[in-house]
């Protein structure tokens, strides 16, 4: 298995632009999570899905952030418009049920200038 | 709701032991432990479930005290490869996502 695949690995964009991060979970995993990591805040949960349904999006910072999971093999996290304070590493992770660990993707390093 | 990890940092020589603690103010269903090396993604080490037994993986083991809502990660006879940041992640019930602590940085030197 190729693991959790995220794209792009790096993204540099100007303030005000739209950014879309992509994630392909491990086949057969039914839960998908989006986390953001910064030095100040550590690993923050943004949103998670069970069986493609968003369960808790209370971690999404504001309306500029949105996430979708149209099918079991694909999810997107969109930021529109982007701001410098959104700069962070964004991780996608997937798991099977509540008894197994999470497998993280390699992350997307987002820099908003 | 975020679990509290201690200590924040540990410096060891090869072969020494370390204990990393994780505590929560809420009742816990599960505790996960992950290790992250610089510039890489967190990697799953082990999971401890409410009512479950202590788990072990080579020279790394962990315990979960449900009454105290605490977990400890034990690293024995540390190796250079153990260096990294260790995170505990906790969930209050099955089916909910993990909330991670701020991490404990472990540095092992020869």
């Amino acid at each position: 298995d190729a693991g959790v695949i995220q794209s792009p690995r790096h993204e540099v964009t100007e303030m005000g632009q739209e950014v879309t991060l992509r994630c392909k979970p491990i086949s057969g995993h039914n839960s998908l999570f989006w986390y953001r990591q910064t030095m100040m805040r550590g690993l923050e949960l943004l949103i998670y899905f069970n069986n493609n349904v968003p369960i808790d999006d209370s971690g999404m910072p504001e309306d500029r952030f949105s996430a979708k999971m149209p099918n079991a093999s694909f999810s997107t996290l969109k930021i529109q418009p982007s701001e410098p304070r959104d700069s962070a590493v964004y991780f996608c992770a997937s798991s099977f049920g509540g008894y197994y660990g999470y497998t993280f993707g390699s992350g997307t390093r987002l820099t908003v200038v | 709701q975020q679990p509290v990890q201690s200590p924040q940092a540990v410096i060891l020589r090869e072969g020494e032991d370390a204990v990393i603690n994780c505590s929560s103010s809420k009742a816990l269903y599960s505790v996960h432990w992950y290790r992250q090396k610089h510039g890489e993604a967190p990697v799953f080490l082990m999971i401890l479930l409410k009512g479950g037994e202590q788990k072990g993986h080579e020279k790394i083991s962990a315990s979960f005290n449900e009454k105290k809502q605490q977990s400890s990660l034990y690293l024995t006879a540390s190796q250079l490869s153990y260096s990294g940041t260790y995170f505990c992640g906790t969930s209050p019930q099955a089916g909910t996502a993990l909330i991670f602590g701020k991490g404990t940085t472990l540095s092992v030197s020869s």
Side-chain angles (χ1 to χ4, degrees), chain A residues 15-106:
Chain A
M15 182 174 62
Q17 296 297 306
E18 176 181 305
V19 176
T20 299
L21 311 181
R22 297 172 175 79
C23 176
K24 176 180 170 56
I26 290 175
S27 177
H29 281 190
N30 62 347
S31 296
L32 183 139
F33 313 87
W34 283 100
Y35 286 89
R36 177 172 70 175
Q37 187 174 38
T38 61
M39 288 294 292
M40 290 295 292
R41 294 177 174 268
L43 269 167
E44 294 178 279
L45 174 67
L46 298 177
I47 185 171
Y48 74 99
F49 298 82
N50 282 343
N51 298 313
N52 311 339
V53 176
I55 301 301
D56 183 0
D57 65 354
S58 60
M60 299 285 258
E62 41 196 277
D63 292 345
R64 298 184 296 107
F65 285 69
S66 62
K68 294 182 179 180
M69 191 165 187
N71 57 61
S73 58
F74 185 66
S75 177
T76 59
L77 178 68
K78 184 181 293 186
I79 308 172
Q80 180 185 21
S82 57
E83 296 183 2
R85 58 188 168 129
D86 300 332
S87 297
V89 179
Y90 290 79
F91 285 107
C92 172
S94 70
S95 74
F96 180 70
Y99 304 104
Y100 301 94
Y102 294 2
T103 301
F104 282 79
S106 298

Side-chain angles (χ1 to χ4, degrees), chain B residues 27-38:
Chain B
L28 299 176
Y29 169 76
S30 70
V31 179
H32 293 217
W33 286 96
Y34 293 78
R35 177 170 60 208
Q36 184 179 31
K37 293 186 180 285
H38 184 68

Side-chain angles (χ1 to χ4, degrees), chain B residues 2-11 17-24 33 69-75 85-90 100-106:
Chain B
Q2 182 179 41
V4 177
Q5 288 187 233
S6 63
Q8 286 187 322
V10 182
I11 299 175
D17 302 340
V19 180
I20 300 172
N21 301 302
C22 174
S23 64
S24 174
W33 286 96
Q69 290 123 237
Q70 293 176 347
S71 178
S72 295
L73 184 71
Y74 306 95
L75 303 123
T85 302
Y86 289 78
F87 293 96
C88 70
T90 60
F100 286 94
K102 288 191 179 288
T104 296
T105 300
L106 178 70

Side-chain angles (χ1 to χ4, degrees), chain B:
Chain B
Q1 189 176 358
Q2 182 179 41
V4 177
Q5 288 187 233
S6 63
Q8 286 187 322
V10 182
I11 299 175
L12 297 176
R13 295 271 192 177
E14 270 188 300
E16 294 182 336
D17 302 340
V19 180
I20 300 172
N21 301 302
C22 174
S23 64
S24 174
S25 59
K26 290 194 167 188
L28 299 176
Y29 169 76
S30 70
V31 179
H32 293 217
W33 286 96
Y34 293 78
R35 177 170 60 208
Q36 184 179 31
K37 293 186 180 285
H38 184 68
E40 300 181 5
V43 174
F44 172 70
L45 294 176
M46 65 187 74
I47 180 174
L48 300 104
L49 299 174
K50 182 178 179 180
E53 71 281 10
Q54 180 169 334
K55 293 271 185 84
H57 174 69
E58 296 180 346
K59 296 178 182 177
I60 301 175
S61 62
S63 63
F64 179 19
N65 186 325
E66 298 168 39
K67 289 185 178 180
K68 293 185 177 180
Q69 290 123 237
Q70 293 176 347
S71 178
S72 295
L73 184 71
Y74 306 95
L75 303 123
T76 58
S78 60
Q79 306 168 14
L80 294 175
S81 61
Y82 286 6
S83 294
T85 302
Y86 289 78
F87 293 96
C88 70
T90 60
S91 66
Q93 60 188 60
T96 58
L98 295 177
I99 303 299
F100 286 94
K102 288 191 179 288
T104 296
T105 300
L106 178 70
S107 299
V108 182
S109 61
S110 57

